[in-house]
Amino acid sequence: MTFREWIECIVNLFYPRVCAACGEPLLKDEETVCLKCRYLLPKTGYELNADNPSAQNFYGRVQFHAVTSCFFFSKQGKVQHLIHQLKYKGNKEAGIFLGQQIGESIKDAPLFQGIDYLIPVPLHPKREKKRGYNQSMMIARGISEVTGIPIGEKFLVRTVNTATQTKKSKEERYQNVKDIFQLQNGALLEGKHILIVDDVLTTGATLESCAHKFENIPGIKISAATAACAGN
């Protein structure tokens, strides 16, 4: 055993490497999510269908070019565990993994070609400071790693620190996020195709609120991608 391998063994003894989806120990060559979970994660295939349920969620509300969600989210499921690790357990790698999966799904999908910028849904600075990072930014980093699309993190800012969306109705969720974002440097996005990135699509209120800030930019094309969406 080399000195490096010995150090890794000691570290793993006190800080064991476990799968972010199932909590089981990772094998030596596994990273973030074990191979079994990678195979079992419930993919939607929405990136190949313009008229998918995630896209339908916005009909009559906002004009998206394309919308996709990579995985189905179910209570107590592997995807929920991944999202929980990302949002509440400080596991940035879970977000990067989810982003990589989105990136793999859209990189050759016709609906998602020619994207100029990834726009992660911003957190309010106070909440980002408390968490230590923005979970949507971690997902965007994963997408960027796979696709090479740059992250446009300075175009949209969150100006209001809203209450949690949990247990709110669809209308309450929309009102909660209606005017909490502010556009910056919009002229740089004229004629561009942007992809707004978030973690989970439920009612779509947050993505809708973000999209409305961009929709009056001349020639812009707006798409959206989330790591997961509810149900199948």
Side-chain angles (χ1 to χ4, degrees), residues 17-174:
R17 297 169 62 252
V18 298
C19 174
C22 69
E24 293 296 318
L26 290 169
L27 299 178
K28 182 178 179 181
D29 295 328
E30 293 178 332
E31 294 291 338
T32 310
V33 175
C34 69
L35 292 177
K36 181 179 179 180
C37 285
R38 287 171 185 252
Y39 178 77
L40 294 175
L41 288 174
K43 294 183 178 180
T44 66
Y46 286 174
E47 70 279 357
L48 300 176
N49 176 16
D51 191 28
N52 66 66
S54 286
Q56 292 171 12
N57 190 71
F58 298 98
Y59 288 176
R61 297 165 56 187
V62 63
Q63 184 64 50
F64 278 115
H65 169 72
V67 180
T68 189
S69 299
C70 194
F71 298 110
F72 290 114
F73 179 100
S74 60
K75 290 185 178 180
Q76 309 304 319
K78 296 180 184 297
V79 176
Q80 184 192 42
H81 198 252
L82 271 167
I83 298 292
H84 189 270
Q85 285 284 309
L86 170 62
K87 294 180 71 172
Y88 307 114
K89 298 296 183 181
N91 193 338
K92 297 179 183 180
E93 294 301 320
I96 292 172
F97 167 80
L98 289 166
Q100 290 169 340
Q101 300 306 298
I102 296 173
E104 291 292 347
S105 72
I106 69 172
K107 66 180 183 180
D108 296 319
L111 291 169
F112 294 90
Q113 298 307 296
I115 296 171
D116 296 289
Y117 291 106
L118 305 173
I119 311 290
V121 172
L123 281 181
H124 189 272
K126 287 184 178 179
R127 184 168 294 185
E128 184 168 345
K129 183 177 180 181
K130 182 178 180 180
R131 180 170 290 163
Y133 57 89
N134 175 5
Q135 71 271 13
S136 295
M137 175 62 76
M138 294 302 107
I139 295 171
R141 285 183 183 177
I143 298 174
S144 184
E145 283 184 11
V146 172
T147 64
I149 302 169
I151 299 173
E153 58 182 301
K154 300 302 182 182
F155 292 115
L156 195 65
V157 295
R158 194 171 192 138
T159 57
V160 180
N161 192 11
T162 54
T164 178
Q165 297 279 68
T166 305
K167 297 183 179 179
K168 282 183 167 57
S169 68
K170 187 172 184 177
E171 179 59 25
E172 287 172 336
R173 284 174 181 251
Y174 178 71

